[in-house]
Short mmCIF file of all heavy atoms in Angstrom, two decimals:
data_model
loop_
_atom_site.label_atom_id
_atom_site.label_comp_id
_atom_site.label_asym_id
_atom_site.label_seq_id
_atom_site.Cartn_x
_atom_site.Cartn_y
_atom_site.Cartn_z
N SER A 19 0.83 -1.19 0.00
CA SER A 19 -0.01 -0.01 -0.01
C SER A 19 0.88 1.22 -0.01
O SER A 19 1.81 1.35 0.79
CB SER A 19 -0.89 0.02 1.24
OG SER A 19 -1.71 -1.10 1.28
N LEU A 20 0.57 2.17 -0.88
CA LEU A 20 1.33 3.39 -0.98
C LEU A 20 0.63 4.52 -0.24
O LEU A 20 -0.56 4.44 0.06
CB LEU A 20 1.54 3.79 -2.46
CG LEU A 20 2.18 2.70 -3.33
CD1 LEU A 20 2.34 3.26 -4.74
CD2 LEU A 20 3.51 2.27 -2.78
N ARG A 21 1.35 5.60 0.04
CA ARG A 21 0.74 6.75 0.71
C ARG A 21 -0.42 7.33 -0.07
O ARG A 21 -1.35 7.87 0.48
CB ARG A 21 1.80 7.85 0.91
CG ARG A 21 2.70 7.58 2.08
CD ARG A 21 3.52 8.80 2.36
NE ARG A 21 4.90 8.50 2.07
CZ ARG A 21 5.86 9.39 2.06
NH1 ARG A 21 5.62 10.64 2.26
NH2 ARG A 21 7.09 9.02 1.81
N SER A 22 -0.34 7.22 -1.39
CA SER A 22 -1.41 7.75 -2.26
C SER A 22 -2.72 6.95 -2.17
O SER A 22 -3.73 7.37 -2.67
CB SER A 22 -0.92 7.75 -3.73
OG SER A 22 -0.73 6.40 -4.17
N GLY A 23 -2.65 5.76 -1.55
CA GLY A 23 -3.81 4.89 -1.45
C GLY A 23 -3.81 3.76 -2.46
O GLY A 23 -4.61 2.83 -2.36
N LYS A 24 -2.95 3.83 -3.44
CA LYS A 24 -2.81 2.81 -4.45
C LYS A 24 -2.24 1.52 -3.81
O LYS A 24 -1.34 1.60 -2.97
CB LYS A 24 -1.93 3.28 -5.59
CG LYS A 24 -1.64 2.30 -6.68
CD LYS A 24 -2.74 2.24 -7.68
CE LYS A 24 -2.31 1.35 -8.82
NZ LYS A 24 -3.38 0.90 -9.60
N VAL A 25 -2.77 0.36 -4.22
CA VAL A 25 -2.30 -0.92 -3.68
C VAL A 25 -1.81 -1.76 -4.86
O VAL A 25 -2.50 -1.91 -5.87
CB VAL A 25 -3.41 -1.67 -2.92
CG1 VAL A 25 -2.89 -3.00 -2.43
CG2 VAL A 25 -3.88 -0.83 -1.76
N TYR A 26 -0.63 -2.32 -4.71
CA TYR A 26 -0.06 -3.22 -5.72
C TYR A 26 0.07 -4.63 -5.11
O TYR A 26 0.50 -4.77 -3.94
CB TYR A 26 1.32 -2.77 -6.16
CG TYR A 26 1.30 -1.54 -7.04
CD1 TYR A 26 1.54 -0.28 -6.49
CD2 TYR A 26 1.11 -1.65 -8.43
CE1 TYR A 26 1.54 0.82 -7.29
CE2 TYR A 26 1.12 -0.53 -9.22
CZ TYR A 26 1.34 0.72 -8.63
OH TYR A 26 1.33 1.82 -9.42
N GLN A 27 -0.23 -5.62 -5.90
CA GLN A 27 -0.02 -7.01 -5.51
C GLN A 27 0.94 -7.61 -6.51
O GLN A 27 0.75 -7.52 -7.73
CB GLN A 27 -1.28 -7.83 -5.50
CG GLN A 27 -1.04 -9.29 -5.13
CD GLN A 27 -2.25 -10.18 -5.32
OE1 GLN A 27 -3.30 -9.74 -5.78
NE2 GLN A 27 -2.13 -11.43 -4.95
N GLY A 28 2.00 -8.23 -6.00
CA GLY A 28 2.97 -8.85 -6.88
C GLY A 28 4.01 -9.62 -6.09
O GLY A 28 3.94 -9.72 -4.86
N TYR A 29 4.97 -10.15 -6.79
CA TYR A 29 6.04 -10.96 -6.18
C TYR A 29 7.29 -10.09 -6.03
O TYR A 29 7.70 -9.38 -6.98
CB TYR A 29 6.38 -12.17 -7.04
CG TYR A 29 5.23 -13.16 -7.07
CD1 TYR A 29 4.15 -13.00 -7.97
CD2 TYR A 29 5.21 -14.23 -6.18
CE1 TYR A 29 3.11 -13.92 -7.96
CE2 TYR A 29 4.18 -15.12 -6.18
CZ TYR A 29 3.12 -14.97 -7.09
OH TYR A 29 2.09 -15.87 -7.07
N VAL A 30 7.92 -10.16 -4.86
CA VAL A 30 9.13 -9.37 -4.63
C VAL A 30 10.25 -9.97 -5.44
O VAL A 30 10.68 -11.12 -5.22
CB VAL A 30 9.50 -9.38 -3.11
CG1 VAL A 30 10.81 -8.65 -2.90
CG2 VAL A 30 8.38 -8.76 -2.29
N LYS A 31 10.77 -9.20 -6.38
CA LYS A 31 11.90 -9.66 -7.19
C LYS A 31 13.20 -9.23 -6.52
O LYS A 31 14.10 -10.04 -6.36
CB LYS A 31 11.80 -9.11 -8.59
CG LYS A 31 12.95 -9.54 -9.45
CD LYS A 31 12.63 -9.57 -10.89
CE LYS A 31 13.80 -10.22 -11.65
NZ LYS A 31 13.49 -10.44 -13.02
N SER A 32 13.29 -7.96 -6.15
CA SER A 32 14.50 -7.47 -5.47
C SER A 32 14.17 -6.21 -4.69
O SER A 32 13.20 -5.51 -4.97
CB SER A 32 15.62 -7.26 -6.46
OG SER A 32 15.26 -6.24 -7.37
N VAL A 33 15.05 -5.91 -3.74
CA VAL A 33 14.91 -4.72 -2.93
C VAL A 33 16.28 -4.02 -2.90
O VAL A 33 17.27 -4.62 -2.58
CB VAL A 33 14.50 -5.05 -1.48
CG1 VAL A 33 14.31 -3.79 -0.65
CG2 VAL A 33 13.23 -5.90 -1.47
N GLY A 34 16.25 -2.72 -3.28
CA GLY A 34 17.48 -1.95 -3.28
C GLY A 34 17.46 -0.94 -2.15
O GLY A 34 16.61 -1.00 -1.26
N ASP A 35 18.38 -0.01 -2.19
CA ASP A 35 18.47 1.01 -1.13
C ASP A 35 17.24 1.95 -1.15
O ASP A 35 16.83 2.42 -0.11
CB ASP A 35 19.73 1.83 -1.25
CG ASP A 35 20.98 0.99 -0.92
OD1 ASP A 35 20.84 0.06 -0.12
OD2 ASP A 35 22.04 1.31 -1.47
N ALA A 36 16.73 2.22 -2.34
CA ALA A 36 15.63 3.18 -2.46
C ALA A 36 14.38 2.63 -3.12
O ALA A 36 13.33 3.23 -3.07
CB ALA A 36 16.11 4.42 -3.24
N PHE A 37 14.47 1.45 -3.79
CA PHE A 37 13.37 0.94 -4.55
C PHE A 37 13.07 -0.52 -4.30
O PHE A 37 13.94 -1.30 -3.94
CB PHE A 37 13.65 1.10 -6.05
CG PHE A 37 13.71 2.53 -6.52
CD1 PHE A 37 14.92 3.17 -6.71
CD2 PHE A 37 12.55 3.24 -6.78
CE1 PHE A 37 15.00 4.45 -7.14
CE2 PHE A 37 12.59 4.56 -7.19
CZ PHE A 37 13.84 5.15 -7.37
N LEU A 38 11.80 -0.87 -4.51
CA LEU A 38 11.29 -2.24 -4.46
C LEU A 38 10.89 -2.63 -5.86
O LEU A 38 10.15 -1.88 -6.53
CB LEU A 38 10.07 -2.34 -3.53
CG LEU A 38 9.21 -3.61 -3.64
CD1 LEU A 38 9.99 -4.85 -3.23
CD2 LEU A 38 7.95 -3.45 -2.82
N HIS A 39 11.34 -3.76 -6.35
CA HIS A 39 10.94 -4.27 -7.67
C HIS A 39 9.91 -5.37 -7.44
O HIS A 39 10.27 -6.46 -6.97
CB HIS A 39 12.17 -4.79 -8.44
CG HIS A 39 11.82 -5.31 -9.80
ND1 HIS A 39 12.75 -5.87 -10.63
CD2 HIS A 39 10.68 -5.36 -10.50
CE1 HIS A 39 12.18 -6.21 -11.76
NE2 HIS A 39 10.92 -5.93 -11.70
N LEU A 40 8.66 -5.10 -7.81
CA LEU A 40 7.60 -6.11 -7.77
C LEU A 40 7.36 -6.63 -9.17
O LEU A 40 7.27 -5.83 -10.10
CB LEU A 40 6.29 -5.48 -7.29
CG LEU A 40 6.02 -5.38 -5.80
CD1 LEU A 40 4.60 -4.86 -5.58
CD2 LEU A 40 6.22 -6.66 -5.07
N GLU A 41 7.30 -7.93 -9.30
CA GLU A 41 7.04 -8.51 -10.63
C GLU A 41 5.70 -9.24 -10.63
O GLU A 41 5.11 -9.48 -9.61
CB GLU A 41 8.17 -9.47 -11.04
CG GLU A 41 8.32 -10.70 -10.16
CD GLU A 41 9.41 -11.62 -10.64
OE1 GLU A 41 9.94 -11.42 -11.72
OE2 GLU A 41 9.72 -12.57 -9.89
N LYS A 42 5.20 -9.49 -11.85
CA LYS A 42 3.92 -10.16 -12.06
C LYS A 42 2.80 -9.44 -11.33
O LYS A 42 2.07 -10.04 -10.49
CB LYS A 42 4.02 -11.62 -11.57
CG LYS A 42 5.07 -12.42 -12.32
CD LYS A 42 5.18 -13.82 -11.77
CE LYS A 42 6.34 -14.55 -12.41
NZ LYS A 42 6.62 -15.82 -11.77
N ILE A 43 2.62 -8.18 -11.58
CA ILE A 43 1.61 -7.36 -10.94
C ILE A 43 0.22 -7.94 -11.24
O ILE A 43 -0.12 -8.22 -12.40
CB ILE A 43 1.70 -5.91 -11.41
CG1 ILE A 43 3.07 -5.30 -11.09
CG2 ILE A 43 0.59 -5.05 -10.83
CD1 ILE A 43 3.42 -5.26 -9.65
N ALA A 44 -0.56 -8.12 -10.22
CA ALA A 44 -1.95 -8.67 -10.35
C ALA A 44 -2.80 -7.74 -11.18
O ALA A 44 -2.78 -6.50 -10.97
CB ALA A 44 -2.55 -8.87 -8.98
N GLY A 45 -3.56 -8.28 -12.11
CA GLY A 45 -4.45 -7.54 -12.92
C GLY A 45 -3.83 -6.88 -14.14
O GLY A 45 -4.51 -6.27 -14.94
N LYS A 46 -2.51 -7.01 -14.27
CA LYS A 46 -1.80 -6.42 -15.42
C LYS A 46 -0.83 -7.46 -15.94
O LYS A 46 0.24 -7.69 -15.38
CB LYS A 46 -1.02 -5.17 -15.02
CG LYS A 46 -1.90 -4.04 -14.59
CD LYS A 46 -1.05 -2.81 -14.32
CE LYS A 46 -1.92 -1.61 -14.01
NZ LYS A 46 -1.13 -0.38 -13.94
N ASP A 47 -1.20 -8.10 -17.05
CA ASP A 47 -0.33 -9.12 -17.62
C ASP A 47 0.99 -8.50 -18.07
O ASP A 47 1.00 -7.44 -18.68
CB ASP A 47 -1.02 -9.78 -18.82
CG ASP A 47 -2.20 -10.64 -18.40
OD1 ASP A 47 -2.24 -11.04 -17.23
OD2 ASP A 47 -3.05 -10.91 -19.25
N PHE A 48 2.06 -9.16 -17.76
CA PHE A 48 3.40 -8.80 -18.23
C PHE A 48 3.92 -7.50 -17.64
O PHE A 48 4.78 -6.86 -18.24
CB PHE A 48 3.46 -8.77 -19.76
CG PHE A 48 2.89 -9.98 -20.42
CD1 PHE A 48 1.72 -9.94 -21.11
CD2 PHE A 48 3.52 -11.21 -20.26
CE1 PHE A 48 1.18 -11.07 -21.68
CE2 PHE A 48 2.99 -12.35 -20.84
CZ PHE A 48 1.83 -12.28 -21.55
N TYR A 49 3.41 -7.04 -16.51
CA TYR A 49 3.82 -5.77 -15.92
C TYR A 49 4.61 -6.02 -14.64
O TYR A 49 4.30 -6.91 -13.88
CB TYR A 49 2.64 -4.86 -15.60
CG TYR A 49 2.15 -4.09 -16.80
CD1 TYR A 49 1.35 -4.70 -17.77
CD2 TYR A 49 2.48 -2.76 -16.97
CE1 TYR A 49 0.90 -4.00 -18.84
CE2 TYR A 49 2.02 -2.04 -18.08
CZ TYR A 49 1.25 -2.67 -18.99
OH TYR A 49 0.79 -1.98 -20.10
N ASP A 50 5.59 -5.16 -14.41
CA ASP A 50 6.34 -5.11 -13.17
C ASP A 50 6.19 -3.67 -12.63
O ASP A 50 5.76 -2.79 -13.34
CB ASP A 50 7.82 -5.39 -13.37
CG ASP A 50 8.12 -6.84 -13.63
OD1 ASP A 50 7.15 -7.62 -13.86
OD2 ASP A 50 9.30 -7.22 -13.64
N ALA A 51 6.55 -3.46 -11.36
CA ALA A 51 6.49 -2.14 -10.78
C ALA A 51 7.78 -1.84 -10.03
O ALA A 51 8.34 -2.73 -9.38
CB ALA A 51 5.30 -1.99 -9.82
#
């Protein structure tokens, strides 16, 4: 859940110092965030 209220569902691919890479975003075929 983000501060904006947007919610993403996906699989944690990697976590960096400033970013989270979510893959296989639910509801969006072939998308990552």
Side-chain angles (χ1 to χ4, degrees):
S19 301
L20 305 182
R21 281 191 247 171
S22 66
K24 177 82 173 161
V25 177
Y26 287 97
Q27 177 189 4
Y29 292 84
V30 176
K31 180 155 187 172
S32 62
V33 182
D35 291 331
F37 294 99
L38 163 66
H39 181 182
L40 274 186
E41 65 179 349
K42 301 176 186 171
I43 300 299
K46 295 185 174 188
D47 291 339
F48 310 110
Y49 279 78
D50 287 10

